[in-house]
Amino acid sequence: MKPFEYLRASGVDEACKTLAAYSGTCAVIAGGTDLLVALRSRSKRVEHVEKVLDISKIRDLDFIEDRGNEVAIGPLASHAALAESRVTRKYAPILAEAAKTVGSPQIRARGTVGGNIANASPAADTIPPLLTLDASINVRSTSGERLLPLAEVFAAPYRTTLRPDEIITEIVFPKPAGRYGHSFIKLGRRKALSISRMNVAALIGTDDEGTMKDVRIAVGSVMPVPSRVSAVEDLLKGQKLTDDLAREAGELMSSEMIRRSGIRWSTEYKAPVIKVLTRRAIVQAAKRAMAETMNVS
Amino acid sequence: MDTGSREIEVNLTVNGKKVTVTCPANTRLLDLLRDYLHLTGTKEGCGIGECGACTVIMDGKAVNSCLVLAGSADGSEIITIEGMEKDGKLHPIQEAFVRNNAIQCGFCTPGMVMSAKALLDANPDPTEEEIKIGISGNLCRCTGYKQIVDAIKEAAEVLRRRTA
Ligand SMILES: Cc1cc2nc3c(=O)[nH]c(=O)nc-3n(C[C@H](O)[C@H](O)[C@H](O)COP(=O)(O)OP(=O)(O)OC[C@H]3O[C@@H](n4cnc5c(N)ncnc54)[C@H](O)[C@@H]3O)c2cc1C
Ligand code: FES
Ligand code: FES
C-alpha cells in the first residue's frame, strides 16, 4: 500500500478547509472501495496523493430524503441503502435496481453513490440511472457551493470536472410525475461481481394510450463518458412503441456509439450487443409504463 | 483542523472487547486484525475486494476488511471468525458447515461464515436465492458452493428453532 497521512473530518466545513489547505495532494475517502484498490496498486491516478481525508464519519452526508417534488441523496448513501430505501424504490426504482447489481453485499455495504460518481468509471452503475433522472449534484469548497447537472461532471474516463478542493455534498433530482416505466440492464462478466462492461438505463413516460411523451436513455461504457443519447430519445418521442421501432432504436444507438467513440478493438463485440441491450431496455421500460396504473404524484 | 499523521490511534470493539491500536495510517482493517491483534482467522486472498476471504462484520454488515482503512474502523464494532464460538462451543453456522462438508481447504471458510452470519442476522429465513446473493462476494475454489448453501439453510433452521 502506498504510504499516506490520514486525516478525518467530522463536518463538511472542516473537510472543505482541509482540502483547500492540501489541494492537489489530498484525496477524499468515503467507502474506499475504489480508492484503496488504486492506492494498493499505486495506480497513476493516485500518484499525487500524500494525504487521505476520511469523510465517512460525516453524518450530515448520509441520507436519502423525500423533498416534495424532489429526491435528495447524500453522497455517503451506500449502494445497499439505495437498493433498500423506500424513497428510491418508490420514486427512482431505476436507481434502486442498479444499486442492487453493484459488486457484492460487502461492496454494496461500503461503496457510496458519491464515490461512484466522483470515481467516474465509464461503467459506474448508478450514473446512467441518475442521468435518466436528470440529476444534479451540489459541490462545496471553501469558495462556496455550486449546483451542476450530472451530465456536465464527466470529462473523460476516471476524470471529472470537479476541482480537487471540491466535495460532492448532495445529489438531487425531480420525481418523475405521471406514467413512467424504467429498465436497467447491464452486461457483466460474472453474475455477482463485475465492473459492468456496458449498461443501459431507460426511463420512459407515456400517456394513457401508450404514446411516449418523455424518453430518457443513458448508457455506460458505450460513449466516451456516461451520457444520455438524445438521437435515440428523439427517434422514440411522440411515437407508440412497435417491435420495428425498438429495433431501429437499437441500431441507432449502435451507430451513435461508433460516431462518438470511433471504431475500437472492442467495437466488433460492442456494436451488436448494445443494439440488443438498447432494444430490450426500451421494450421493458415502455411495457412497464403501460402497466403502471396509478403513479400520479 | 486535522493536520494529518503517518501514525494513527484506532479505538474499536473487536469480538466484544474494547481495544486501542496504534498503527501506520495506511494500515487496513485486515492488517490491524491479523498483525496487531493476531486474529489470523481472517484471511487475505486477493486484497482487492474480489474474493471475500477477508470478510468481517462491521457494525452489523459484512465488509471486505481489505478495503477498509483502519482509521475508518475507528469507533466501530467488529466481529471476526474468532468471535463466533461461545464457551468453547462452535456457532451453529460453524457446526452446520462441518456437518455439511462445506469445508475443504478451509481458506474461504472464515469469510463465508461471516457473510452467512450477516445474512442470517438480517434475514433469519432466507430463500435459496437470497443465500446465494448473500455469499456472492465470497469465492470458494473447492466446494462448488452447494454444500455451503445447504449448510447455511440448515443453520438458519437451527437458529430459528432456537429463538422460537
Ligand atoms: C470487487 C469490486 C466490485 C465492484 N463492482 C462494482 C459494480 O458492479 N458497479 C459499480 O458501479 N462499481 C463497482 N465497484 C466500484 C466501487 O465499489 C463503486 O464505484 C463505489 O460506489 C465507490 O464508492 P466509495 O465510497 O467506495 O468510493 P471511494 O473509494 O471512497 O472514492 C472513490 C473516488 O471518489 C472520490 N470521492 C468519494 N466521495 C466523494 C465526495 N463526496 N466528493 C468528492 N469526491 C469523492 C474519492 O476521492 C475517490 O477518488 C466495485 C469495486 C470493487 C472493489
Ligand atoms: S482479500 Fe479482501 S476480498 Fe479478497
Ligand atoms: S474450501 Fe477451499 S476455497 Fe472454499
Side-chain angles (χ1 to χ4, degrees):
Chain A
M1 178 85 67
K2 185 184 161 98
F4 50 79
E5 285 178 25
Y6 177 84
L7 304 97
R8 184 186 298 148
S10 49
V12 177
D13 285 342
E14 190 192 348
C16 290
K17 278 184 197 147
T18 307
L19 280 181
Y22 303 120
S23 186
T25 60
C26 186
V28 162
I29 189 164
T33 59
D34 279 317
L35 191 69
L36 287 179
V37 172
L39 287 168
R40 182 179 192 272
S41 65
R42 294 171 191 252
S43 138
K44 256 196 137 49
R45 275 189 276 144
V46 292
E47 232 169 20
H48 64 287
V49 176
E50 288 166 18
K51 296 171 193 282
V52 165
L53 172 64
D54 190 351
I55 61 166
S56 68
K57 315 253 179 210
I58 305 181
R59 289 287 244 353
D60 294 352
L61 294 181
D62 188 4
F63 59 87
I64 299 176
E65 272 172 27
D66 181 344
R67 291 209 187 136
N69 292 329
E70 281 184 346
V71 172
I73 299 174
L76 291 185
S78 67
H79 294 294
L82 292 180
E84 284 154 24
S85 144
R86 290 225 325 275
V87 176
T88 42
R89 279 167 46 193
K90 178 152 187 208
Y91 299 110
I94 193 167
L95 179 60
E97 242 173 61
K100 212 172 162 177
T101 71
V102 169
S104 60
Q106 293 95 318
I107 296 291
R108 290 194 288 278
R110 292 289 302 165
T112 66
V113 62
N116 203 226
I117 293 170
N119 193 57
S121 156
D125 282 319
T126 65
I127 295 173
L130 284 168
L131 287 170
T132 65
L133 289 162
D134 281 330
S136 297
I137 62 170
N138 246 315
V139 298
R140 276 261 291 277
S141 69
T142 48
S143 43
E145 193 168 37
R146 59 186 183 121
L147 182 72
L148 73 161
L150 188 63
E152 291 170 18
V153 170
F154 309 105
Y158 304 102
R159 269 224 338 266
T160 67
T161 56
L162 304 189
R163 294 195 316 262
D165 65 330
E166 285 180 319
I167 64 169
I168 302 172
T169 53
E170 191 169 277
I171 297 127
V172 280
F173 54 84
K175 290 179 186 169
R179 187 190 274 285
Y180 274 89
H182 70 277
S183 177
F184 175 77
I185 304 183
K186 87 182 208 184
L187 204 69
R189 265 169 290 180
R190 204 146 72 71
K191 194 180 170 208
L193 258 179
S194 60
I195 303 281
S196 57
R197 287 283 184 75
M198 281 186 269
N199 58 36
V200 183
L203 187 61
I204 296 179
T206 67
D207 64 15
D208 292 349
E209 275 69 54
T211 302
M212 294 180 279
K213 294 288 181 193
D214 186 7
V215 182
R216 311 180 196 174
I217 297 168
V219 287
S221 279
V222 174
M223 304 302 171
V225 295
S227 45
R228 293 271 291 270
V229 188
S230 56
V232 177
E233 295 176 348
D234 293 342
L235 172 75
L236 301 175
K237 227 173 278 173
Q239 312 270 11
K240 282 188 186 174
L241 193 65
T242 61
D243 288 348
D244 282 345
L245 186 58
R247 199 165 302 117
E248 198 183 330
E251 270 154 27
L252 185 56
M253 177 68 84
S254 159
S255 46
E256 276 297 293
M257 174 181 85
I258 292 166
R259 192 176 68 80
R260 288 207 222 165
S261 301
I263 303 258
R264 302 183 182 191
W265 62 269
S266 56
T267 307
E268 194 184 339
Y269 156 71
K270 282 190 170 181
V273 175
I274 193 60
K275 250 186 229 178
V276 177
L277 296 188
T278 302
R279 173 168 55 81
R280 280 197 204 144
I282 290 168
V283 169
Q284 185 178 40
K287 276 203 180 132
R288 280 182 173 168
M290 282 314 290
E292 190 74 20
T293 42
M294 271 288 302
N295 183 20
V296 195
S297 54
Chain B
M1 188 179 77
D2 196 342
T3 53
S5 55
R6 291 214 174 262
E7 284 270 302
I8 54 167
E9 188 185 284
V10 185
N11 292 288
L12 68 177
T13 306
V14 179
N15 300 330
K17 252 185 29 209
K18 285 204 154 72
V19 293
T20 299
V21 176
T22 304
C23 58
N26 66 352
T27 306
R28 305 166 298 173
L29 175 58
L30 174 64
D31 312 315
L32 183 152
L33 294 170
R34 289 182 55 89
D35 303 344
Y36 290 80
L37 301 178
H38 309 296
L39 296 171
T40 53
T42 304
K43 304 296 180 216
E44 172 158 18
C46 64
I48 52 167
E50 303 267 2
C51 75
C54 66
T55 303
V56 300
I57 297 180
M58 177 169 166
D59 298 327
K61 291 173 197 133
V63 303
N64 302 115
S65 63
C66 71
L67 293 185
V68 178
L69 220 46
S72 302
D74 188 48
S76 306
E77 195 146 330
I78 308 291
I79 307 173
T80 70
I81 189 72
E82 288 87 351
M84 291 295 280
E85 60 170 66
K86 285 267 140 62
D87 309 320
K89 215 174 155 312
L90 291 181
H91 187 279
I93 297 175
Q94 293 172 302
E95 284 178 344
F97 267 63
V98 174
R99 261 198 310 275
N100 286 272
N101 299 316
I103 308 169
Q104 284 182 29
C105 80
F107 194 79
C108 71
T109 311
M112 206 59 97
V113 169
M114 298 324 285
S115 282
K117 175 167 168 56
L119 169 72
L120 297 183
D121 285 350
N123 178 2
D125 192 7
T127 62
E128 178 155 340
E129 185 58 25
E130 286 167 339
I131 293 175
K132 285 183 180 162
I133 293 171
I135 58 166
S136 60
N138 294 77
L139 300 185
C140 175
R141 298 174 53 171
C142 305
T143 67
Y145 301 100
K146 181 174 184 313
Q147 298 92 318
I148 295 173
V149 172
D150 289 347
I152 297 172
K153 255 191 233 166
E154 192 183 295
E157 246 177 72
V158 172
L159 288 165
R160 280 203 310 277
R161 252 188 277 127
R162 199 191 256 191
T163 51

